[in-house]
Amino acid sequence: MAEIGFYHLTRTALPEALARLLDRTLQAGQRALVLCPDAARLKALDTALWACPEPAWLPHGTAADGDAGLQPIWLSTEPEAANGARFLFLVDGANTNRNGEFDRVFDLFDGKDPDQVTAARARWLAAKDGGHGLTYWKQGPRGWEKGG
C-alpha cells in the first residue's frame, strides 16, 4: 500500500507548490512521475517548471523529449513510471487505480476550486477504502501544515 498525502493548495498556484515538492523529492534521491489529466495541462506544467524561479532548475522531461530513463522527473498523461519513479504526483484531478505501485503519492488540489475539493474528498474516501495510509496537508503562513 502507498502512503498518500493530500496537499490542499490555498496560498500558491500549482506550479509553484509542485516545483518545491519536486525539489524535495530530488533532494531525497527519489524520482517522480507527475500525472497530468490531459496533454494541454502537461504542456503548461512543462513550460511552468522550466520557468519556475525556485528552485532555479528542475530536470524533467516528457514523451516529446524522450529518454525517460534519464529523466528524474517525468511528466505524463499515463500512470506508468517510465523513468522508474517511486513517487507519484497527481495534479488537476488526475487519478489512477495504480497508486499501490508507488511508495508515495502526492495528490495536489486547488482549495479555491470547489469542484477540485469535492473530487479530492472522493479520492480520499477511495484511497481510505483501498487501505492506503493517508495524510492531509494544507498550506499555511509558514508552509505545509499537517491536518487531522
Side-chain angles (χ1 to χ4, degrees), residues 75-98:
L75 280 65
S76 181
T77 58
E78 298 298 323
E80 297 172 20
N83 66 339
R86 300 301 310 145
F87 285 15
L88 172 64
F89 289 78
L90 303 172
V91 299
D92 291 328
N95 199 11
T96 179
N97 60 359
R98 298 171 74 173

Side-chain angles (χ1 to χ4, degrees), residues 4-14 17-18 21 89-94 106-124 135-139 144:
I4 303 176
F6 285 79
Y7 289 78
H8 190 159
L9 304 175
T10 59
R11 300 179 65 85
T12 62
L14 173 66
L18 178 63
L21 290 169
F89 289 78
L90 303 172
V91 299
D92 291 328
F106 300 74
D107 189 320
L108 286 76
F109 63 97
D110 184 348
K112 297 174 185 171
D113 181 331
D115 292 336
Q116 282 200 27
V117 172
T118 299
R121 286 182 180 136
R123 291 190 304 274
W124 173 281
T135 55
Y136 170 78
W137 299 89
K138 185 174 182 177
Q139 286 180 321
W144 291 107

Side-chain angles (χ1 to χ4, degrees), residues 15-21 23 48-49 51-58:
E16 181 182 340
L18 178 63
R20 290 184 178 176
L21 290 169
D23 185 45
L49 290 177
C52 190
E54 191 179 327
W57 185 65
L58 276 174

Side-chain angles (χ1 to χ4, degrees), residues 57-76:
W57 185 65
L58 276 174
H60 67 278
T62 68
D65 303 314
D67 295 320
L70 299 177
Q71 307 292 347
I73 300 169
W74 188 247
L75 280 65
S76 181

